[in-house]
Amino acid sequence: MDASLDVLRTLRLTGGLFLDAEFTAPWCVAAQVAPEDCHPFTPLPMGIIAYHYVSAGRLWLRVGEGASVEVSAGHLVVLPRNDPHVLGSDLAGPAVSAEGLMQASVESGIARIVHGGGGEATRVWCGFLLSETTTDPLVGMLPSVMTLDVAEGVTGPWIESSFRLAASELAAGEVRSPALLARLAELLFIEAVQRYLAGLPPGQRAWVGGLRNPLVSRALALLHDRPERHWTTEALAREVGLSRSAFAERFTELVGVPPMRYLAGLRMQMAARRLRESQTPISRIALEAGYESEASFTKAFKRAFGAPPATWRREQHNPPQPTPAD
């Protein structure tokens, strides 16, 4: 965990709040933070981390073909890579572009949205964090969506009350709130990452130890960015500028497993997530995971999870029910 904190501190995050939205059911919008939304804070496009804080009500959020995530009041949802996403009271209907609904607010300096069918109300504050790079290895290894109950933990109530106070002051036109909100959002992002990593099984967070070393960190970023490529230890060593033996030794020491074993585990984790969260054909998932045939992928997956991909997927969607006691 110390390694992830070291890397998070090097991100030099800045940011702020840009949108205050009031939705009433039914509603569904398609959203993504655009560089122009960050214009008051930076003149150049940088790596953007998006977040939504639900202050009242609840919503559903989905990225791409992933599973829908329910977010209730008092929760923060973080999108580490600012992926396009859909959010609403119900995601089954057509989504309206959030950009077309925004109205500039001269008083507070942030945009406003008031939209929906007049039913159950949801209040959302949308913001962003900016990093100086778009290819940070830690950000690249995080899931596309993370949720955080802001009130959890020892400092949770203080952070939640401060976030609410800062946002309300910003809406009233106070000038000190943007900097405070940006700092609070940064703290919440770090907390969300720490909780996510702490919740991973030990075998799935082995890469954290390699983040301290710039060469191993670069190799990890390459593997996570292109897991389907036919990597070899020699190819990775060339990419980071080390000899094969020196690279293999350093990677194994810091990550805990050799490079190719780590890659095999990464591919299985990625494939399992795709099987669980989408209806993508198994043949396509096999290619995305770097396997030349569905048969070889099925064999490897069964070895890792104890069941073929199709069977495993069905079990995830329809888990077996416990047998009633006689």
Side-chain angles (χ1 to χ4, degrees):
M1 297 303 101
D2 290 340
S4 64
L5 273 176
D6 290 345
V7 175
L8 283 167
R9 292 190 185 105
T10 68
L11 289 180
R12 299 181 182 178
L13 299 171
T14 59
L17 190 73
F18 74 95
L19 176 65
D20 179 12
E22 293 183 36
F23 299 108
T24 53
W27 62 279
C28 184
V29 299
Q32 183 180 34
V33 179
E36 52 267 27
D37 297 325
C38 315
H39 174 68
F41 300 87
T42 176
L44 299 173
M46 296 181 179
I48 299 176
I49 299 165
Y51 67 86
H52 303 300
Y53 176 71
V54 180
S55 64
R58 64 183 183 87
L59 59 81
W60 290 90
L61 183 145
R62 183 180 66 240
V63 174
E65 297 180 349
S68 299
V69 177
E70 186 175 19
V71 188
S72 56
H75 285 69
L76 185 85
V77 58
V78 180
L79 298 102
R81 291 174 294 282
N82 188 33
D83 293 309
H85 54 283
V86 178
L87 60 162
S89 58
D90 184 352
L91 306 184
V96 179
S97 171
E99 183 179 359
L101 300 174
M102 291 186 191
Q103 298 178 355
S105 174
V106 177
E107 293 81 8
S108 65
I110 63 173
R112 286 268 295 159
I113 287 180
V114 178
H115 173 70
E120 181 184 1
T122 298
R123 185 79 176 266
V124 185
W125 294 319
C126 306
F128 59 87
L129 291 166
L130 304 173
S131 64
E132 295 181 353
T133 175
T134 59
T135 58
D136 181 84
L138 177 59
V139 172
M141 295 173 196
L142 295 175
S144 58
V145 178
M146 296 189 299
T147 58
L148 176 71
D149 184 348
V150 176
E152 280 188 356
V154 177
T155 60
W158 173 81
I159 294 178
E160 182 184 29
S161 61
S162 299
F163 200 81
R164 287 178 176 271
L165 175 63
S168 63
E169 289 178 347
L170 179 59
E174 296 289 339
V175 295
R176 70 183 181 88
S177 294
L180 176 57
L181 274 170
R183 179 57 180 161
L184 286 171
E186 180 182 352
L187 293 174
L188 287 171
F189 172 69
I190 292 173
E191 179 71 9
V193 172
Q194 290 294 102
R195 290 192 197 176
Y196 166 75
L197 294 176
L200 289 176
Q204 292 187 26
R205 61 171 181 258
W207 51 265
V208 177
L211 295 175
R212 280 201 182 103
N213 183 283
L215 299 179
V216 174
S217 178
R218 168 64 176 158
L220 286 167
L222 288 169
L223 292 176
H224 280 257
D225 187 48
R226 297 188 60 188
E228 78 287 352
R229 181 172 167 180
H230 296 295
W231 290 108
T232 63
T233 302
E234 290 87 349
L236 279 172
R238 284 196 301 271
E239 290 282 354
V240 301
L242 287 175
S243 69
R244 182 193 182 284
S245 58
F247 167 71
E249 181 180 355
R250 193 169 304 181
F251 189 101
T252 303
E253 177 186 358
L254 294 175
V255 179
V257 293
M260 293 302 100
R261 188 185 303 174
Y262 178 84
L263 176 60
L266 171 64
R267 287 171 168 173
M268 286 296 103
Q269 294 166 27
M270 183 198 75
R273 184 169 62 248
R274 292 281 279 157
L275 287 166
R276 183 173 55 247
E277 298 179 355
S278 77
Q279 294 301 316
T280 304
I282 293 174
S283 58
R284 179 177 167 187
I285 293 176
L287 290 174
E288 291 174 351
Y291 289 85
E292 296 182 352
S293 71
E294 185 175 339
S296 60
F297 167 70
T298 297
K299 183 177 180 180
F301 190 91
K302 184 176 181 179
R303 185 166 56 247
F305 290 92
T311 303
W312 190 87
R313 171 183 263 172
R314 283 195 301 270
E315 291 174 349
Q316 298 303 303
H317 294 169
N318 301 289
Q321 300 298 314
T323 303
D326 294 333

